[in-house]
Amino acid sequence: MTIKYGFLSTHPPTRCGLATFNSALAAHLGRSDAAVGIVRVAAHGDDLTPGAEVVHTWIAGAPAGWRDSAEALNGFDIAVVQHEYGIYPGHDGGEVLSVLRRLTVPSLVVLHTVLSHPTPNQKSLLEQIVAAAGAVVTITRTAHDRLLDGYTVDAAKISVIPHGASDYAGPSNLRHPQAHLLTWGLLGPGKGIEWALRGLARLRDLRPAPVYTVAGRTHPKVAELHGEEYRAELHKLGAILGIAHQVRYASAYLDDGELGSLIRSADVVVLPYDSTEQVTSGVLVEAVAARIPVVATTFPHAVELLTDGPGLLVPHKNPAALATAVRRILTEPALATTLRDRSGHAEPALRWPAVAQRYHELAATLVADRHLTTVAGK
């Protein structure tokens, strides 16, 4: 079935996880001869240059912007809506609900955050979003179970489709004489890089001592409020710990080729996140799909993907445990091989073509059901 997909989301040139996810999903669905159009959600200060696939831009603060966005989406067969609190205008991003209620085409809502302890308004809003949607996707089983246990929703609407991953597996053209640790993604408080630095300081007895790359720009919202304060604190901490020469901060934006080469050069991907709520991590999925062993704190997505799987879990804010886990991977070849082999088992289902196919099948069901309903009503 050929389907015209309309997407509602942040989108490049905005640089955030949601925009990256939406861009990849739209691109892979578009490869099946489907028509794709983006209704881009943008904040003041964003680069508003429209990409070729952008059919409308919803700028924060635009009067009744939700109405124009809904009308644009109604020109497609189905609306795919990326949901994250705070992306859309209104309290907790509530204007997305106005869009959903104005749609005349089926809607598929992707939930990127499902909080275990939402505010009353966040809980009510998410329940209403699920009620208004034709179908809802969570990216992890943890988010699915959390949604059913903590919210009043129709379980029949909920599907689990994993976060997609690019094809970053294989050899790298980057070479490091020392073991190479890597963290990448938008930088800001909560990423836990300070704990990774403290862990790195405990590995100085290794010969040669490992190097650590922290790749990614400061999150735009963090930069707007606090500038580069967090990054400066990390530089200061590295100097105090005596490991500044072992740490490289790559703040330039990396295209797919550059990022893939960087990921493939890593011996261990370190995800020392502070969050105990994070049910979705694109970085984690990319690392696993690239078959790089992972050391991560016990945030929900890591627990789900890494337990008895392709990585090691450590407690939050515990540099000693983090260092021990990294040391094991670097000094126990059999363990590193086992972790890479486990990644290989998970890899095929995480590739974007497989993930996009599952979205297409779900969308086709919604579009077909609407067609049957329309025919029956005539």
Side-chain angles (χ1 to χ4, degrees), residues 230-253:
Y230 181 64
R231 192 183 297 270
E233 290 174 354
L234 295 177
H235 280 282
K236 181 179 178 181
L237 177 61
I240 292 171
L241 294 171
I243 56 167
H245 62 291
Q246 295 173 242
V247 185
R248 172 177 174 261
Y249 294 90
S251 59
Y253 179 75

Side-chain angles (χ1 to χ4, degrees), residues 8 39-43 48 56-70 87-90 93-99:
L8 179 65
V39 175
R40 181 187 173 208
V41 180
L48 299 181
H56 177 71
T57 299
W58 181 6
I59 302 174
W66 57 268
R67 183 180 294 118
D68 293 336
S69 297
I87 294 298
Y88 300 98
E95 287 189 23
V96 69
L97 184 59
S98 300
V99 175

Side-chain angles (χ1 to χ4, degrees), residues 39 63 149-150 179 243 254 357:
V39 175
D149 292 342
I243 56 167
L254 302 177
Q357 179 60 29

Side-chain angles (χ1 to χ4, degrees), residues 233-300:
E233 290 174 354
L234 295 177
H235 280 282
K236 181 179 178 181
L237 177 61
I240 292 171
L241 294 171
I243 56 167
H245 62 291
Q246 295 173 242
V247 185
R248 172 177 174 261
Y249 294 90
S251 59
Y253 179 75
L254 302 177
D255 62 27
D256 275 351
E258 292 168 326
L259 178 59
S261 191
L262 179 64
I263 293 171
R264 290 191 296 271
S265 74
D267 296 287
V268 184
V269 169
V270 182
L271 304 181
Y273 303 162
D274 290 339
S275 174
T276 59
E277 286 278 4
Q278 189 164 348
V279 292
T280 302
S281 170
V283 172
L284 172 62
V285 172
E286 295 285 11
V288 170
R291 303 190 183 190
I292 309 300
V294 179
V295 171
T297 52
T298 53
F299 59 91

Side-chain angles (χ1 to χ4, degrees), residues 85 112-120 122-123 126-127 142-151 275-279 298-300:
Y85 291 111
H112 291 263
T113 295
V114 180
L115 299 173
S116 57
H117 301 289
T119 66
Q122 288 170 334
K123 181 175 185 291
L126 199 60
E127 289 173 345
T142 301
H144 171 275
D145 295 346
R146 185 179 286 182
L147 187 61
L148 295 188
D149 292 342
Y151 299 76
S275 174
T276 59
E277 286 278 4
Q278 189 164 348
V279 292
T298 53
F299 59 91

Side-chain angles (χ1 to χ4, degrees), residues 168-173 175 260-261 264-265:
Y168 290 146
S172 173
N173 58 6
R175 293 289 181 267
S261 191
R264 290 191 296 271
S265 74

